[in-house]
Each structure stands twice: as structure tokens, then as C-alpha cells.
């Protein structure tokens, strides 16, 4: 609902706006939806000028329809599938994280969500040599653990580096470069998060290549930590901010072909009810894929815990598939 | 700036009016100016001016950050974080098994939660940490001060005196064994009176006082910049009784957790919380789980659960971003928190250099 202002389009002058406002037309929507002959009579403006203005406003503010074939071609050329660093998780996600979509990982505390996020950052940065932005709202990001994961992954790739002299130094240099490609932003409140996302969008659209580079993944750990303090009670402000956040994340994913990964908590309805994802039904429409992480005690050996990931929502695979994860 | 009006930190009523009037981006607000704004929405000139101040601040912050200045954001690469982490110290607990499973001790800039049944040793560990944070750097400590927020009234000064005396004696013995100059200099300031005077004690009687104290912490910490540990002994107690509205409790606890994370991060302090246990009754058995609900479990970065096993005290690491889950046993002696058996005596000469706070144990001290 944009307010009509002088200079919005070539034919719109200040006096026209005053006349329109006098007859109750203040925003673009009012203008476009009103009967122009009527308006021309009431405000004594030229009908042709009004039609010209309407055409320009429609061109500026309406969305363009596209047909399915064009959309398919566009998606084929711009979507990438990124490996998550864990083959079983890739299998669950139909070969990896899809760019242009929001994927959600949910689980109880200690189930391994931050570990999976670190694994994704390590695999994308080391294997694909792409940049990663990690938005951390729980202070759970431990760089030494990330370094451990990078070391484990470079050992796998050692085969390729076998011919190169100074193999150890090469591995070390690869790890350092991988660490430099991961940018960590600490955001501890919803407004900080929104302004960090806005800043990321500005940088990407201005294509300041040096700082961000070819960005492919944005990880947000966790979204419920910043939204929970606002939900509930009698105000609906929390819900509005949550929807704003979801819009920002989806626009980022779609416009710049990024894969957005989000982590979420689980809650119970009552003390004995089943576990369900936090943030309610409104948030459940935002991610297109949802994975539930659980850690189950293996009954024969109390020392090891099995970590199981199950697919709760997916546009491509049947839900209910379960795989075992190995968090090194 | 293309910031949407909905994402700016303005009051909800003001935001609703702006949306009704048709403003969408921050740029439109700034273009209109205070007089135009107050006329359009029907608010006073002063309110319009204030709102525009907030908008301008946000947009200038964004612009500065986009242009590449570091500003006040907490943005850095993983490599810089790794270097920071490697130079950061840990707060040791004097129980080497516990330090090992924690990866060196209680980490700074993270929230550690200790859950346990009554009498298992949570407050003892908190008092031990309040003394250990003050160990000088040459002995392997972080040389900081401590803030102790007590909600249950279980802080006993006589016990802290015992623990501090044992710690000072331990450091004296190390200094005698290693005979280095800076050790003796550090010991001059590491005395019982000094230790006690650097523990700042607050007593909060209900949840409102606790919330107020936590929200006032940043100011206190900016005056006392050497504080490296904040202990809240009994975060469950004020929230468990007399609370009818559970959703309000969840909201308050989550807001509290975020505030504590900000404090831990900005002032490079470790935050330690103690929690109580509650019973969950399942289909066939009942088990003890940490109190305050499911969502509180996400607030702490590191979670330790203390429990009994036939008169042996055990500590389990349940949640940590960098260490595996494991269980160890510990003891509480008159000197404080200690291991169950003394660690193996190292006969090689390098043993003393590797670990400045350990000294070779002699026979008469083993208990």
C-alpha cells in the first residue's frame, strides 16, 4: 500500500496528488482500483493523463505472471544441490540441500542440531569452496569443533593431494582457507537478526564480492531463541515479527539462490504429550523441508547413543524416512 | 534504505498506524519528515521526531556496516574466532576428570548449566568456581572476579573461606616446587582477603528481583571490567513456585537466557546456572529430568547433570558443542571439589612444565 507521492511516476504532479487526496484517493491501490472516469470528473483532471499514470503504476507495482516452462528452465539453471557432509543426511534430503528453499532442523537439546549445522558449513566451505554465513543466536558456535570437522574431512580428501609435495602443509592451508570462507555473525535479539539479514541483502545486491564472495548457504542457529521471548501473551507483535523474519529468509533464498538452514526447538503440549516443533502452526508453513533429530540410547550398550534423523515434511520425498546420523 | 517499517524497533501502536497510513520502507519515513509524519498519522511532533531518530540510527548503522566498517556488530570469520578461542582461558574446577570432559574447564563466553538432585554438590561447585576464577594467570587461571547471585540463600561464607584457604595453599606449594619469580609476585595479591573481596554477592528473593538484577548486569560489568564469572545459584527456585501463567514463565525465561548470552558474549565472562530436578512420570517408570521445561533446555550451551550412584557422586556431560557425552565421578572434601583418586604421578621432568597448576603429589597428602 504505497502512498501516492509526487515523482512516483512521470505524470504525477503535486497538484494532482492534492486533488486526488481531496477525493479520498491516497495510495496506489486506491488509485488503480477506482473508476477513472468518475475521478476525472470529480477532480477535473484529464482522463488521458490518469490512464497514462495508471499504466505506469501498474507496470511498477504489479507482479508479472510467468508460465511453468520458463519457471522450470530458470530453476534448472539456478538451483544447486549442496552436500551436507553426512551421506545419510543427504539421502534423507534427496541428495542434499536445495538452494532457493528453507530447510529446518528440529530437535531436543543435545540432539545434535548445532553439530549438523557445523558439518554443513565445513562441507560447503571445504568441498565446494563456497562462502557460508552463520548467524548464531545461542552462542553455540565453537570454532575449535569446526576445525576438528575440517581436519576429519581433509583426511578424506588426502587421496587427491597425495601427489603434491608438502601434503601436510597443503591440508593446513586448505583448512585455513575454509575457515576464512565462513563468516559468523552473532545476533541475540530479533531486531539484530533482521538488521543482519537486511545488511546481507544489501551487500549481495550491491555485489560487494570481496567480503561475501560466492555465497551459497546461510545457517541460522536457532530461530526459536530469538522469537520465543516475544510470543504469547496478549500482544500479537511476536507473530508479526516472526512473519517478517520468514519473509526475509524466503526472499533471500529465492532471489539470490541460497540454501537457508534454520534450527528450531521442540516442545510438548503437556508434560506427557508427544514432542512437536516449537513456534506453532504459523511457522510450520515457512520451511519446505523439516528434519527431526533425536538421540536414542542403544539398549545393549549404555555408553553409545544412536542419533536418528527422520523426515517430517518434504516436497520431494515421502515423510517418515529415518536414517542414522554419525556426528564425528 | 530499503528497510521495511515492520522490521524497525518501534512501538507496536506506532507501527500499526504507519502500516495503516501506507508507509512501507524506512526511506519513505525519512523523506516525509517529522511535520508531515505527525500530520499523516496523528501523533505529536515530539513523538514523530523520536521515531525518526530511531529510524535514522538503524539506517545509518546498516549503511556503515554495508560499507565495510566494523562498527559494533559481532561479525567475524571462523578463523578469527578460532584464534580467539585458542587464546581464551578456562576456569578450572580442581577436579581434573571434570575439567577433561569439559575440554579444559568451564568455558568463557558460554552458559553452563548444572542440574542435580538436592545435596549432590551444585552450590559447592559454584563456590569452588567463584574462588578458582581468581587464580592468577601464571598458575593457569584467568585472574578475574566473580559475581554470585543467590536466590536460595545457600551461600555459606565459612565454606568459601575453607575453599579459598585450600586454593591459596595449593598455589603456595606449586610456587615452592617451581621457584619462579612471577609466581611469588602473583601470590602477594592472591590472599584470602583479596579473594573474598572480589566475589560480588547479590541476594534476590523473587523472580522480579532476579530479572531486574540480570538486566542491570551489563552496567555493573562495565564498571567492574575484571569480572569473568557470573553464577546464578538457583535459577529454578523463583520460577517454580507461585507461577500460574506458564506461558509467561516461558517467555520470561527465554528473555532471561538471551540477556545472559549477551552478557557472556560482550564481557567475555562465563555464566554458570544451577537448576533443580523434577520427576516425569512415564508409562511404566518415572525418571528425573531437569526442571523448568523443554524450552529451557535450549538456553544453556553446556549442560552437566549431577546424580548419585549408591553413595558415589557422578557428573554426566549431557550437552556440549565440542565435547562428547561422558560420565565421571567426583568427591567433595573439606578442601572443596576434588577428584575421586589422585591423578597418576608423573615421574618425567616435563610433567611440571606441561601443567602449571599441578604439582607432583607427595605421599603424605594423599587421602
Amino acid at each position: 500500500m504505497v502512498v501516492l507521492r509526487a515523482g512516483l511516476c512521470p505524470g504525477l504532479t503535486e497538484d494532482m496528488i492534492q486533488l486526488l487526496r481531496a477525493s479520498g484517493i491516497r495510495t496506489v491501490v486506491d488509485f488503480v482500483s477506482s473508476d477513472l472516469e468518475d475521478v476525472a470528473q470529480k477532480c477535473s483532471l484529464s482522463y488521458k493523463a490518469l490512464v497514462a499514470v495508471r499504466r505506469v503504476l501498474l507496470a511498477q507495482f504489479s507482479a508479472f505472471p510467468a508460465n511453468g516452462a520458463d519457471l522450470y528452465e530458470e530453476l534448472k539453471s539456478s538451483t544447486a544441490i549442496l552436500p551436507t557432509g553426512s551421506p545419510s543426511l543427504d539421502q534423507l534430503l534427496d541428495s542434499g540441500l536445495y538452494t532457493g528453499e528453507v530447510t529446518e532442523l528440529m530437535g531436543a537439546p543435545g540432539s545434535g542440531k548445532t553439530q549438523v549445522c557445523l558439518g554443513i558449513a565445513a562441507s560447503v566451505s571445504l568441498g565446494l569452496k563456497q562462502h557460508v554465513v552463520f548467524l548464531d543466536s545461542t552462542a553455540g558456535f565453537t570454532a575449535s569443533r569446526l576445525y576438528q570437522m575440517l581436519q576429519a574431512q581433509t583426511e578424506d580428501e588426502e587421496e587427491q593431494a597425495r601427489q603434491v609435495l608438502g601434503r601436510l602443509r597443503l591440508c593446513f592451508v586448505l583448512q585455513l582457507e575454509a575457515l576464512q570462507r565462513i563468516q559468523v555473525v552473532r545476533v541475540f535479539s530479533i531486531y539484530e537478526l533482521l538488521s543482519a539479514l537486511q545488511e546481507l541483502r544489501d551487500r549481495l545486491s550491491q555485489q560487494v564480492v570481496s567480503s561475501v564472495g560466492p555465497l551459497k548457504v546461510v545457517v541460522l542457529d536457532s530461530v526459536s531463541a530469538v522469537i520465543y521471548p516475544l510470543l504469547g501473551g496478549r500482544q500479537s507483535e511476536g507473530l508479526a515479527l516472526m512473519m517478517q523474519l520468514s519473509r526475509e529468509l524466503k526472499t533471500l533464498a529465492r532471489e539470490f539462490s541460497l540454501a537457508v538452514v534454520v534450527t528450531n526447538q521442540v516442545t510438548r503440549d503437556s508434560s506427557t504429550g508427544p514432542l512437536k516443533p516449537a513456534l506453532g502452526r504459523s511457522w510450520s508453513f515457512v520451511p519446505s523441508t523439516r528434519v527431526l533429530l533425536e538421540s536414542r540410547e542403544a539398549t545393549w550398550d549404555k555408553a553409545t547413543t544412536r542419533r536418528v534423523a527422520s523426515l517430517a515434511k518434504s516436497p520431494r520425498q515421502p515423510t517418515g524416512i529415518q536414517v542414522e546420523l554419525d556426528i564425528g | 534504505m530499503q528497510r521495511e517499517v515492520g522490521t524497525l524497533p518501534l512501538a507496536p501502536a506506532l507501527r500499526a498506524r504507519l502500516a495503516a497510513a501506507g508507509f512501507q520502507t524506512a526511506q519513505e519515513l525519512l523523506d516525509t519528515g517529522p511535520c508531515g509524519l505527525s500530520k499523516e498519522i496523528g501523533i505529536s511532533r515530539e513523538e514523530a521526531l523520536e521515531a525518526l531518530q530511531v529510524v535514522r540510527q538503524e539506517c545509518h548503522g546498516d549503511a556503515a556496516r554495508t560499507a565495510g566498517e566494523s562498527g559494533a556488530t559481532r561479525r567475524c570469520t571462523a578463523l578469527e574466532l578460532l584464534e580467539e578461542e585458542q587464546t581464551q582461558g578456562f576456569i578450572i574446577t580442581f577436579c581434573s576428570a571434570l575439567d577433561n570432559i569439559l575440554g579444559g574447564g568451564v568455558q568463557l563466553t558460554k552458559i553452563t548449566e548444572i542440574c542435580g538432585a538436592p545435596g549432590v554438590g551444585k552450590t559447592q561447585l559454584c563456590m569452588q568456581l567463584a574462588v578458582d576464577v581468581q587464580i592468577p594467570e601464571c598458575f593457569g587461571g584467568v585472574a578475574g572476579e566473580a559475581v554470585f547471585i543467590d536466590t536460595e540463600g545457600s551461600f555459606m561464607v565459612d565454606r568459601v573461606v575453607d575453599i579459598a584457604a585450600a586454593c591459596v595453599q595449593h598455589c603456595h606449594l606449586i610456587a615452592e616446587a617451581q621457584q619462579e619469580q612471577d609466581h611469588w609476585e602473583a601470590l602477594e595479591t592472591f590472599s584470602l582477603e583479596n579473594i573474598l573481596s572480589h566475589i560480588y554477592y547479590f541476594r534476590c528473593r523473587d523472580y522480579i528481583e532476579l530479572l531486574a538484577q540480570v538486566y542491570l548486569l551489563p552496567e555493573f560489568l562495565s564498571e567492574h571490567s575484571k569480572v569473568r564469572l557470573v553464577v546464578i545459584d538457583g535459577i529454578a527456585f523463583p520460577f517454580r513456585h507461585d507461577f500460574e501463567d506458564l506461558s509467561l514463565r516461558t517467555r520470561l525465561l527465554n528473555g532471561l537466557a538471551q540477556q545472559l548470552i549477551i552478557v557472556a558474549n560482550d564481557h567475555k565472562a562465563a555464566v554458570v546456572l544451577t537448576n533443580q530436578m523434577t520427576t516425569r512420570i512415564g508409562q511404566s517408570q518415572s525418571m528425573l529430568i531437569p526442571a523448568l521445561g523443554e524450552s529451557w533446555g535450549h538456553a544453556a550451551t553446556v549442560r552437566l547433570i549431577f546424580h548419585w550412584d549408591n553413595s558415589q557422586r557422578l557428573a554426566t556431560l549431557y550437552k556440549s558443542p565440542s565435547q562428547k557425552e561422558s560420565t565421571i565421578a567426583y568427591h567433595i572434601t573439606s578442601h572443596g571439589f576434588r577428584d575421586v583418586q589422585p591423578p597418576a604421578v608423573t615421574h618425567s621432568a616435563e610433567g611440571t612444565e606441561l601443567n602449571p597448576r599441578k604439582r607432583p603429589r607427595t605421599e603424605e597428602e594423599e587421602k
Side-chain angles (χ1 to χ4, degrees), chain B residues 135-151:
Chain B
I135 296 179
E137 277 162 15
C138 50
F139 292 107
V142 294
E145 303 173 355
V147 166
F148 200 104
I149 301 179
D150 188 8
T151 60

Side-chain angles (χ1 to χ4, degrees), chain A residues 14 29 49-51 59 86 107 109 115 126 143 209 212-215 237 248 269 272 308:
Chain A
E14 187 61 46
V29 176
L50 286 177
V51 166
S86 151
Q115 300 297 310
L126 189 67
V209 182
V212 179
L215 183 65
E237 179 189 69
E248 287 276 344
D269 276 328
T272 47
V308 175

Side-chain angles (χ1 to χ4, degrees), chain A residues 161-224:
Chain A
R162 204 177 272 269
Q163 289 91 21
V164 183
L165 291 166
R167 183 182 60 198
L168 280 174
R169 235 183 95 235
L170 179 70
C171 287
F172 185 62
V173 164
L174 285 176
Q175 286 154 18
L176 281 189
E177 280 179 358
L179 280 176
Q180 274 179 328
R181 281 190 282 260
I182 303 176
Q183 209 176 63
V184 181
V185 187
R186 292 202 176 108
V187 285
F188 297 129
S189 81
I190 182 78
Y191 295 112
E192 283 177 28
L193 176 58
L194 285 168
S195 82
L197 287 174
Q198 178 70 36
E199 178 201 343
L200 186 62
R201 198 141 65 111
D202 286 338
R203 277 191 300 159
L204 283 175
S205 51
Q206 290 169 19
Q207 291 182 332
V208 181
V209 182
S210 52
S211 50
V212 179
L215 183 65
K216 272 291 166 228
V217 181
V218 172
V219 182
L220 173 54
D221 179 23
S222 74
V223 72
S224 35

Side-chain angles (χ1 to χ4, degrees), chain A residues 28-177:
Chain A
V28 171
V29 176
D30 296 339
F31 186 88
V32 162
S33 54
S34 55
D35 184 9
L36 286 186
E37 283 194 8
D38 220 19
V39 172
Q41 253 184 346
K42 260 201 294 192
C43 312
S44 57
L45 289 168
S46 113
Y47 180 68
K48 271 203 190 144
L50 286 177
V51 166
V53 169
R54 178 157 81 165
R55 206 178 314 134
V56 176
L57 285 179
L58 276 177
Q60 256 188 332
F61 288 102
S62 57
F64 287 107
N67 68 39
D70 289 342
L71 198 60
Y72 181 61
E73 289 302 316
E74 194 200 312
L75 279 181
K76 256 204 318 191
S77 59
S78 64
T79 312
I81 307 181
L82 309 168
T84 59
S86 151
S88 42
L89 191 60
D90 282 343
Q91 197 192 3
L92 194 70
L93 293 172
D94 193 18
S95 67
L97 290 171
Y98 279 67
T99 58
E101 286 185 2
V102 177
T103 312
E104 184 181 271
L105 301 166
M106 46 188 192
S111 52
K113 308 184 287 292
T114 311
Q115 300 297 310
V116 173
C117 290
L118 288 177
I120 293 174
S123 133
V124 169
S125 166
L126 189 67
L128 299 178
K129 306 217 180 340
Q130 303 281 335
H131 285 244
V132 176
V133 169
F134 200 106
L135 296 157
D136 185 16
S137 69
T138 55
F141 183 86
T142 329
S144 27
R145 175 73 179 128
L146 182 63
Y147 189 52
Q148 247 183 2
M149 286 185 169
L150 282 172
Q151 279 175 325
Q153 283 187 15
T154 32
E155 271 157 23
D156 298 337
E157 300 187 1
E158 222 174 286
E159 298 300 315
Q160 299 158 14
R162 204 177 272 269
Q163 289 91 21
V164 183
L165 291 166
R167 183 182 60 198
L168 280 174
R169 235 183 95 235
L170 179 70
C171 287
F172 185 62
V173 164
L174 285 176
Q175 286 154 18
L176 281 189
E177 280 179 358

